[in-house]
Amino acid sequence: MKPYGSLFEGFTTEEIQEVIESSQATTRELPKGATLFSPGEKPESFYILLSGSVEVMRVDSEGRRRILSVFSEKGSLFAEVYAFLKKQSYDYLCITREPSSFLQFPTTFYFEETEDPLRTRLLLNMMKILAHKAFYLSQKSMILATASLRGRIARYLLSLTSDDVCTLPLNRNDLADYLGVSRPALSRELMSMQEEGLFCVQGRKVTRMDRKAMESIG
Amino acid sequence: MKPYGSLFEGFTTEEIQEVIESSQATTRELPKGATLFSPGEKPESFYILLSGSVEVMRVDSEGRRRILSVFSEKGSLFAEVYAFLKKQSYDYLCITREPSSFLQFPTTFYFEETEDPLRTRLLLNMMKILAHKAFYLSQKSMILATASLRGRIARYLLSLTSDDVCTLPLNRNDLADYLGVSRPALSRELMSMQEEGLFCVQGRKVTRMDRKAMESIG
């Protein structure tokens, strides 16, 4: 991942500089535990993570936090969606998990009338990012729509390949998170599905998937 | 919804005509039960629904169909994501539910180098559509990540309002579909949650929500 991420894919260093200047983006540094935005605040910026990491969470009326996503990869684009929703305020809290730095763009950036060809290329990159996000989330929704953990695992594995072997792109913690379950529950279910002969799993390697049997899991 | 939908929001009839001509979009009419695209086919077009309706589904190795989405609103944009994914072929089957007509755009449309200001405005509209889709799907994933039907209902209702009353935007069938359960199961659970005093529901009207109790449902 390049330092400015997929938003600037295909841009030269000079072109990136030009866009940053013309869009009035600024660099921001925050210590660990600082708030980048919070519920009730008006969405006026979107961000590219330059270093560190942040988490986005929902806080309920009793103060309990439910993490929605963590961004730790340099160049990650986030908070880019709210500007389009005409929402008066954020629903989420975003805080730094460690000292972090950001490139902060004003959201007006999207809507300025301009015929700058650099801007057009940037919009196209933004569209690609949004399209990938929509695809990822639509796959995820389809998998999560299954109520049973066993069904979620089966659908997830089937979605990864049309073959009977595959390599898991996520480690166990991230997979548990993705499937909306605890890590011990995930390990137990993987073990029991394996004992029933639905597949073999060693580390991230899955082999001998019985697709037919897995497709019939509700 | 205008006949060409949100992709052409803010465009005059003449501007729409100009874009359709320059992008070499064509109009297509299909009878009921016809295939618009199917798994294995290369994604080369995206569509705007002009009349009728289509359903997009996944077909497993035993021929069972699982419906992913139905488009029936005039102006709906669909199959717009695959072009960005560099996927060799569709994973889904799309068929007409009744006689239908479409505006079919070549996906090359996205990637042509052009400084046409109309094109830039169109890309911006496309981004808005993708951003809304990503937001909708991210809300849905968060709700579906709850394993119990009760938890899904609670999170869904909490997501609709920060108040203790609201109006459901979906009818019972669509709500059952959204929550990934059967309609009878949904009705039973709504009834039993009501009996326990979590809320009152009459048709689409929900009142007296006990947010605290609902937030504590796992």
Side-chain angles (χ1 to χ4, degrees), chain A residues 93-203:
Chain A
L93 173 69
C94 175
I95 62 172
T96 53
R97 285 156 42 113
E98 55 190 301
S100 306
S101 61
F102 313 89
L103 199 56
Q104 175 170 356
F105 288 85
T107 53
T108 49
F109 173 82
Y110 294 128
F111 306 110
E112 272 162 20
E113 289 272 334
T114 166
E115 288 169 32
D116 178 355
L118 281 184
R119 195 60 67 95
T120 307
R121 279 167 54 200
L122 209 68
L123 290 183
L124 201 55
N125 280 350
M126 183 73 92
M127 273 173 61
K128 279 188 210 172
I129 294 168
L130 291 171
H132 274 89
K133 195 172 257 193
F135 182 75
Y136 168 85
L137 289 166
S138 118
Q139 295 280 83
K140 188 173 174 178
S141 288
M142 206 159 59
I143 288 158
L144 291 174
T146 315
S148 76
L149 172 51
R150 173 166 293 222
R152 290 180 188 196
I153 294 172
R155 281 207 206 170
Y156 178 70
L157 292 177
L158 291 172
S159 78
L160 290 176
T161 172
S162 51
D163 201 0
D164 73 336
V165 297
C166 67
T167 303
L168 295 172
L170 301 174
N171 67 30
R172 288 289 189 280
N173 277 332
D174 291 341
L175 183 57
D177 198 47
Y178 180 90
L179 297 176
V181 294
S182 72
R183 157 112 201 220
L186 173 65
S187 294
R188 269 197 309 275
E189 192 65 34
L190 280 175
M191 189 63 79
S192 106
M193 290 173 88
Q194 189 167 219
E195 280 163 7
E196 291 172 37
L198 291 170
F199 49 74
C200 279
V201 58
Q202 288 175 295

Side-chain angles (χ1 to χ4, degrees), chain A residues 30-140:
Chain A
L30 288 175
K32 180 181 168 169
T35 299
L36 197 56
F37 56 83
S38 55
E41 224 172 277
K42 207 172 163 219
E44 285 175 336
S45 307
F46 65 92
Y47 303 89
I48 291 180
L49 184 68
L50 299 179
S51 71
S53 59
V54 297
E55 51 193 21
V56 180
M57 65 196 77
R58 195 142 199 163
V59 184
D60 73 22
S61 59
E62 298 199 306
R64 273 171 312 211
R65 293 166 169 209
R66 205 190 302 266
I67 290 179
L68 182 77
S69 44
V70 171
F71 297 96
S72 56
E73 201 173 354
K74 275 191 191 85
S76 294
L77 181 71
F78 64 98
E80 84 284 12
V81 164
Y82 265 71
F84 292 110
L85 300 178
K86 293 172 190 160
K87 277 245 181 190
Q88 286 308 302
S89 62
Y90 287 112
D91 301 312
Y92 301 103
L93 173 69
C94 175
I95 62 172
T96 53
R97 285 156 42 113
E98 55 190 301
S100 306
S101 61
F102 313 89
L103 199 56
Q104 175 170 356
F105 288 85
T107 53
T108 49
F109 173 82
Y110 294 128
F111 306 110
E112 272 162 20
E113 289 272 334
T114 166
E115 288 169 32
D116 178 355
L118 281 184
R119 195 60 67 95
T120 307
R121 279 167 54 200
L122 209 68
L123 290 183
L124 201 55
N125 280 350
M126 183 73 92
M127 273 173 61
K128 279 188 210 172
I129 294 168
L130 291 171
H132 274 89
K133 195 172 257 193
F135 182 75
Y136 168 85
L137 289 166
S138 118
Q139 295 280 83
K140 188 173 174 178

Side-chain angles (χ1 to χ4, degrees), chain A residues 190-217:
Chain A
L190 280 175
M191 189 63 79
S192 106
M193 290 173 88
Q194 189 167 219
E195 280 163 7
E196 291 172 37
L198 291 170
F199 49 74
C200 279
V201 58
Q202 288 175 295
R204 294 210 187 177
K205 201 108 197 98
V206 181
T207 51
R208 295 194 298 177
M209 282 168 54
D210 183 346
R211 297 186 71 90
K212 243 188 191 157
M214 285 164 71
E215 273 164 0
S216 66
I217 297 169

Side-chain angles (χ1 to χ4, degrees), chain B residues 145-190:
Chain B
T146 316
S148 75
L149 173 52
R150 174 167 292 221
R152 291 181 188 196
I153 294 172
R155 282 208 205 169
Y156 178 71
L157 292 177
L158 292 171
S159 78
L160 290 177
T161 174
S162 51
D163 201 0
D164 73 336
V165 296
C166 67
T167 303
L168 295 173
L170 301 175
N171 66 31
R172 288 289 189 280
N173 277 332
D174 291 341
L175 184 56
D177 198 46
Y178 180 89
L179 297 175
V181 294
S182 72
R183 158 115 200 219
L186 173 65
S187 293
R188 269 197 308 275
E189 193 64 36
L190 281 174

